[in-house]
Amino acid sequence: MPTERFTLEEMLSGWVRETLAGSLPAAVLEGADLSVAATADERFGDYQCNAAMALARAMKKPPREVAGLLTAAAKPGAVERMEIAGPGFVNFTLSADWMAQRLEQAQADDRLGVPEPGRGRTLVLDYSSPNVAKPMHIGHIRSTVIGNALDRLHRFLGWRVISDNHLGDWGTQFGLLIVGFRHFADPAAYETSPIEELERVYVKSYEQSKADPAWLEGARAELVKLQQGDAANRALWQSFVEHSLREFDGIYRRLGVSFDLTRGESFYNDRLVALVADLKARGLAKESDGAWCVFSDGALPPKEDPFRKQEDGEWKDIPCIVQKSDGAFNYATTDLATILSRAEEFHPDAVVYVTDERQQLHFRQVFAVARRLGVATRLEHVWFGLMRLPEGTFSTRQGNVIKLERLLDEAQTRALAVVKASSPDMPAEQQWEVARAVGIGAVKYADLSQNPQSLVTFTWEKALALDGNSAPYLQYACARIASVQDKYRERFPGVEPRRFPIRLTEPVERQLATRLLRFADVVQRAARLYRPSVLADYLYDLAQTYSTFYQNTPFLKAAEGVRESRVRLCDLTAQTLRRGLDLLGIEAPERI
């Protein structure tokens, strides 16, 4: 029987709201934070509500008096006791019998009790977005794995997700690439290793543009010709795109990433002229030094205005350029056309972009212009910190990148050595398959376990660590549980543990149970905050708690009933770890 579709925090917070609504004026409760959250210290119960302090200030009453309104009420069925602590915190301790029943319901539910609040809502998720004619490198790993985790999380929560790989297949770099290709390309090299040759050509052309202004002007002219449909430039560009897509698809297959749409900037090219004409007609775009720009409308204070900045004590304009003085369009124009197209085609509730921190101002401006054009869809920019090497930043232009394919190869090779050491009798083909899951999982988790907005300094050692807070640690936890289940079946053939109820009699059993029951809230929080690290932190804590449980309680030697209850807790832990890892895009092999 599936568990009820609400989470523990939702249930307890709802009880707090209903209880206080019967005692306090609606005006006092309006806008107040009445939420209940897991306690940071289990000595003070399982959940805690801090609402009394804020409400007491509004009512000019002692916080403990307001908290007493909750503890004096009939407690919800899930709660064994409620206590007031400190200045007015209310601590909730859950009933062991209720928790056991809830765990049994979750174990019978393939969703583990996680509700689907996204039902009926549509999300367009824009992530990965590599540039055509350049190899994917470690700088692409963040957008790809963070975006894919958010994709998986939202789908699991019931959202209709439209994942769009918005390729960088249009823009200034193609002017440089076209002129460089005609001067520097080696046809034989382009035939055998097209992306490597395009990368070499691009770096050489970029260097030439820095030394020769005429070269840069020539590149700009080729770009304008491409945007205007020149047949020769279009044919070259199409060749670049086709070769790039083949290479990208190989990387995505290895990462277990797929998209509903792969539409580059070029898809929206036919909309750009009309878009700029509309901006001009509405008076939103104004001419400035031959370019057409959108300026501040004065609706926001200068500090909040994306079209203003302070220099030398004065506020100056930061226009959003939608058409350059040479007639070419830019990223802002294309992104505006993309927003309008997505709104018309998909009618989404939200459009979320996953890109690095350098694009914050760009999206603030683009979103502001879109709102002036009447777009009501919620627009979000989920930005992440840059990826750096220990010696500094990397750049395709400077040719000092670590290619993503090489990273994945190295990860799998290193993981293979670990698998061979731990499972020397495993067939070679299975060892290689397990190494693939372990190595690629390690690379993903090294990123996903960090706050997305943190700066990441990439090192092989950190990315491929196979112990501690890592994907391999969690994968090993799943494999150890599978071993326990195998031993149980060998010792007690034909016995079904689910015929016996779950019992929570030992403190460590209770600790494991409370963590298992938090899964639904954690999944929703990770999606709501756009932070897969929230889920990663939870899984690591769950695995550590399970390890303590396993080391401190007898399993196969326990009495009948107790033994089966503990095997059920093992099974539910494995289900939760596997589901959580899957939501992060990480596989959990049965054996390692």
Side-chain angles (χ1 to χ4, degrees), residues 161-367:
V161 178
I162 299 163
S163 56
D164 189 353
N165 192 8
H166 188 70
L167 299 177
D169 68 346
W170 210 244
T172 304
Q173 72 269 27
F174 287 97
L176 285 168
L177 193 56
I178 288 170
V179 71
F181 191 87
R182 288 180 175 142
H183 284 80
F184 305 131
D186 179 337
Y190 185 59
E191 183 68 27
T192 56
S193 302
I195 304 306
E196 287 186 11
E197 178 61 8
L198 289 176
E199 180 185 25
R200 185 190 69 81
V201 166
Y202 178 75
V203 170
K204 196 169 181 64
S205 185
Y206 176 78
E207 292 172 347
Q208 185 75 12
S209 72
K210 289 296 184 184
D212 183 358
W215 185 274
L216 182 59
E217 285 304 311
R220 288 171 176 164
E222 295 298 340
L223 173 64
V224 172
K225 286 168 62 179
L226 173 64
Q227 291 180 336
Q228 293 174 347
D230 177 81
N233 282 10
R234 190 84 179 187
L236 260 186
W237 169 83
Q238 188 65 47
S239 175
F240 301 158
V241 170
E242 290 172 357
H243 284 302
S244 297
L245 286 175
R246 279 194 288 272
E247 178 157 312
F248 296 160
D249 287 345
I251 296 292
Y252 291 134
R253 279 194 297 273
R254 295 186 68 179
L255 290 171
V257 171
S258 61
F259 299 90
D260 299 300
L261 299 174
T262 298
R263 290 179 177 174
E265 296 164 1
S266 61
F267 183 85
Y268 307 95
N269 189 51
D270 293 343
R271 302 179 65 113
L272 303 186
V273 172
L275 169 61
V276 173
D278 186 31
L279 289 168
K280 293 177 183 178
R282 295 182 188 222
L284 297 177
K286 299 178 181 179
E287 190 174 4
S288 176
D289 296 328
W292 286 88
C293 312
V294 178
F295 291 86
S296 171
D297 62 0
L300 294 173
K303 288 184 179 180
E304 301 173 19
D305 194 330
F307 303 94
R308 306 293 301 279
K309 68 176 178 179
Q310 194 170 31
E311 284 186 0
D312 301 325
E314 296 183 2
W315 289 101
K316 298 184 179 180
D317 290 324
I318 317 174
C320 177
I321 301 173
V322 293
Q323 187 171 22
K324 301 176 184 178
S325 58
D326 62 5
F329 303 108
N330 60 9
Y331 292 125
T333 328
T334 302
D335 280 338
L336 283 167
T338 304
I339 288 172
L340 294 171
S341 176
R342 287 168 171 167
E344 293 169 6
E345 183 176 359
F346 304 117
H347 307 287
D349 296 270
V351 180
V352 173
Y353 295 79
V354 184
T355 77
D356 73 55
E357 63 187 9
R358 293 170 297 184
Q359 298 190 45
Q360 289 181 78
L361 176 61
H362 167 79
F363 280 110
R364 287 179 63 212
Q365 289 190 332
V366 167
F367 293 170

Side-chain angles (χ1 to χ4, degrees), residues 22 137 186 221 265 283 291 371 414 442 459 463 465 481 491 583 590:
H137 54 72
D186 179 337
E265 296 164 1
R371 284 190 287 271
R414 294 192 182 204
T459 64
I481 295 173
R491 290 277 300 274
L583 292 175
E590 287 290 333

Side-chain angles (χ1 to χ4, degrees), residues 405-417:
E405 186 172 18
R406 179 191 164 205
L407 173 69
L408 300 181
D409 288 344
E410 183 71 11
Q412 192 165 345
T413 299
R414 294 192 182 204
L416 181 62

